[in-house]
Amino acid sequence: MEEKMVLYNQILSSCISEIQTARRSIAIKVNQGILSVYWNLGKLLSEKVQAETYGSGVIKKLSIDLKNEFPDMGLSPRNL
């Protein structure tokens, strides 16, 4: 009976390890994706807004419209 318990604990430990590894990998990929999105938004806004000589009103409007579309993201005028 004790041998089965040891085997079970090894299986359980392996399963826990697999789940933790997958979660870390997913979190890293999500964070990389988020950083990429913010970098690309900053680049886009920097290029387009400055080239077209838009004022800060465009950034405020973009912030409002983007927040309506993506309420879970931090898309304040300052962040943009």
Side-chain angles (χ1 to χ4, degrees):
M1 188 65 155
E2 189 174 310
E3 189 176 311
K4 286 185 179 183
M5 195 61 167
V6 169
L7 179 59
Y8 173 80
N9 286 336
Q10 290 173 345
I11 294 169
L12 176 60
S13 178
S14 293
C15 290
I16 289 170
S17 178
E18 283 293 322
I19 292 168
Q20 289 172 335
T21 299
R23 284 182 171 183
R24 277 192 294 275
S25 176
I26 291 166
I28 289 169
K29 288 177 184 176
V30 167
N31 285 337
Q32 288 172 338
I34 290 169
L35 285 173
S36 178
V37 166
Y38 280 113
W39 176 265
N40 290 333
L41 285 176
K43 183 178 177 188
L44 173 79
L45 292 175
S46 177
E47 291 171 354
K48 298 293 184 185
V49 171
Q50 288 178 6
E52 300 296 326
T53 64
Y54 289 116
S56 62
V58 170
I59 300 296
K60 288 178 186 174
K61 178 146 177 46
L62 274 171
S63 172
I64 291 167
D65 291 340
L66 288 171
K67 278 194 247 182
N68 286 334
E69 188 71 27
F70 305 101
D72 58 331
M73 293 181 70
L75 296 167
S76 68
R78 183 181 176 122
N79 286 349
L80 292 175

